């Protein structure tokens, strides 16, 4: 009995470290997904502040929305300027997707304060990506639409 309890208590710190490492890697997981889907190599965010999607689909179609936090050190803006295409506006299509996902108003971008970018999907030009970054460079709003 004593040996079992000792083994259990010795395993707890190891499990705690593994969970912490797993949690820290999660922030970069979505950026890896963006890289795979859109061939964009954006810097890893400090964390995800909000996320939602339209749910699993047999065909892989649907909508996803993420709000990511950044340090505001200019690396995000530089990566977007180098890899994405600026858009004059995307308020109408983005609002339509956010309405479909029932995103609360406080989790939506302030369109007047955001620069808007897009990127082509490498295999299907019907898919859409909208990247909105606030003027401080501390928030990235990622809106994806897959057909």
């Amino acid at each position: 009995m004593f040996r079992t309890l000792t083994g259990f208590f010795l395993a707890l710190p190891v499990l705690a470290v593994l969970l912490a490492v797993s949690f820290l890697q999660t922030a970069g997981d979505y950026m890896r997904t963006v890289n795979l889907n859109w061939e964009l190599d954006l810097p890893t965010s400090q964390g995800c502040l909000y996320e939602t999607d339209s749910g699993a689909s047999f065909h892989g179609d649907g909508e996803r929305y993420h709000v990511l936090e950044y340090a505001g050190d200019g690396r995000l803006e530089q990566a977007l300027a180098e890899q994405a295409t600026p858009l004059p506006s995307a308020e109408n299509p983005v609002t339509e997707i956010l309405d479909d996902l029932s995103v609360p108003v406080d989790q939506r971008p302030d369109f007047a304060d955001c620069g808007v970018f897009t990127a082509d999907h490498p295999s299907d030009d019907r898919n859409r990506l909208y990247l909105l970054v606030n003027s401080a460079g501390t928030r990235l709003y990622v809106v994806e639409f897959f057909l």
Side-chain angles (χ1 to χ4, degrees):
M1 172 85 170
F2 178 73
R3 188 181 289 184
T4 304
L5 284 175
T6 303
F8 174 75
F9 286 116
L10 289 175
L12 277 178
V14 172
L15 289 173
V17 169
L18 290 174
L19 284 172
V21 168
S22 173
F23 178 75
L24 291 174
Q25 287 181 342
T26 303
D29 285 347
Y30 181 64
M31 287 294 88
R32 282 191 288 276
T33 302
V34 168
N35 181 281
L36 288 171
N37 286 335
W38 302 98
E39 297 180 347
L40 291 174
D41 189 20
L42 300 178
T44 300
S45 71
Q46 293 182 326
C48 183
L49 302 173
Y50 181 85
E51 65 182 312
T52 188
D53 62 47
S54 56
S57 167
F58 179 75
H59 297 287
D61 57 338
E63 301 160 324
R64 285 194 297 233
Y65 178 62
H66 289 76
V67 181
L68 305 172
E69 183 176 28
Y70 281 87
D73 58 8
R75 292 184 317 125
L76 174 62
E77 296 94 323
Q78 180 179 355
L80 289 171
E82 292 172 357
Q83 301 175 50
T85 304
L87 289 175
S89 175
E91 187 169 355
N92 290 336
V94 168
T95 299
E96 185 177 320
I97 292 169
L98 299 183
D99 287 347
D100 288 346
L101 293 171
S102 301
V103 174
V105 173
D106 64 326
Q107 297 297 333
R108 295 179 181 219
D110 175 3
F111 292 99
D113 184 49
C114 288
V116 184
F117 297 86
T118 190
D120 293 329
H121 191 273
S123 63
D124 192 339
D125 62 358
R126 298 175 300 166
N127 297 333
R128 297 282 175 252
L129 172 70
Y130 301 101
L131 302 162
L132 295 91
V133 60
N134 69 351
S135 60
T138 58
R139 296 283 182 277
L140 177 64
Y141 305 88
V142 184
V143 183
E144 296 176 279
F145 175 79
F146 295 96
L147 269 180

